[in-house]
C-alpha cells in the first residue's frame, strides 16, 4: 500500500511539473516560425512570423528576441532608420511581456548602413491567445 501511495504521489508531482512548462502553441495560420524564416529568408518584404518574446526591456536597444522552432530573431520596434535617412514609426510594445507568444508582422532586413543582416523591423505585433 505504501509503495502505491509513493508511486501515485510521484506521478502527480511529475504531472504538475509538466503542466507548468510552457509549450510552443500551434502554428498560427499564414505565419512562419523563426527557424523557417531564417532557413529561407524573405528580405525587405512584409512577413508574418510567430514566436516567444524574450529579453524585452533587458537589452541596450529598442529590440527583443523572438524564438520558435529553435530559431532566434532580433526584432526592432523603434530606432529603425532606412539607408536614405527615413525613420520608421515606433511600434507600441507596452502590453507585451517576456514569455508571451506573439505574431509579428514586419520585414527581415538584408543589411545596410543603419541595420544588420537578419534584423527584423516590426510594423505590428499581436498576442497569440
Amino acid at each position: 500500500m505504501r509503495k502505491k501511495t509513493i508511486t501515485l504521489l510521484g506521478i502527480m508531482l511529475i504531472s504538475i511539473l509538466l503542466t507548468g512548462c510552457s509549450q510552443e502553441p500551434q502554428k498560427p495560420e499564414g505565419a512562419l516560425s523563426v527557424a523557417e524564416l531564417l532557413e529561407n529568408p524573405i528580405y525587405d518584404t512584409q512577413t508574418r512570423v510567430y514566436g516567444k518574446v524574450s529579453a524585452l526591456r533587458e537589452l541596450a536597444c529598442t529590440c527583443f528576441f523572438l524564438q520558435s522552432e529553435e530559431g532566434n530573431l532580433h526584432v526592432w520596434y523603434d530606432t529603425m532608420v532606412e539607408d536614405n535617412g527615413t525613420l520608421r514609426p515606433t511600434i507600441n510594445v507596452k502590453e507585451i511581456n517576456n514569455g508571451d507568444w506573439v505574431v509579428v508582422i514586419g520585414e527581415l532586413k538584408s543589411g545596410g548602413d543603419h541595420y544588420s543582416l537578419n534584423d527584423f523591423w516590426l510594423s505590428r505585433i499581436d498576442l497569440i491567445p
Side-chain angles (χ1 to χ4, degrees), residues 1-128:
M1 179 72 165
R2 185 172 185 199
K3 285 184 180 182
K4 287 183 182 179
T5 303
I6 291 173
T7 303
L8 182 58
L9 287 174
I11 291 171
M12 288 174 50
L13 179 61
I14 291 170
S15 297
I16 290 168
L17 291 173
L18 290 177
T19 302
C21 293
S22 174
Q23 300 235 344
E24 193 163 311
Q26 185 174 349
K27 181 178 177 178
E29 189 174 330
L32 299 171
S33 72
V34 172
E36 288 173 319
L37 178 63
L38 295 177
E39 285 173 14
N40 297 300
I42 304 167
Y43 291 110
D44 305 310
T45 302
Q46 287 285 306
T47 307
R48 291 173 38 93
V49 184
Y50 79 97
K52 184 178 180 180
V53 174
S54 67
L56 178 62
R57 299 177 198 90
E58 296 174 2
L59 302 170
C61 61
T62 52
C63 59
F64 60 87
F65 291 115
L66 189 71
Q67 301 162 326
S68 59
E69 294 184 2
E70 299 184 22
N72 193 31
L73 193 60
H74 197 204
V75 179
W76 290 80
Y77 57 88
D78 196 4
T79 60
M80 300 172 284
V81 181
E82 297 284 1
D83 285 341
N84 66 7
T86 303
L87 182 64
R88 293 272 186 102
T90 300
I91 304 303
N92 182 351
V93 295
K94 289 180 183 175
E95 303 299 317
I96 306 299
N97 295 297
N98 289 319
D100 286 346
W101 284 89
V102 298
V103 173
V104 296
I105 300 170
E107 296 178 23
L108 186 67
K109 301 305 281 182
S110 57
D113 294 335
H114 304 290
Y115 46 90
S116 300
L117 177 67
N118 291 337
D119 279 352
F120 190 90
W121 284 9
L122 192 61
S123 58
R124 180 177 168 171
I125 187 166
D126 296 314
L127 283 167
I128 297 175

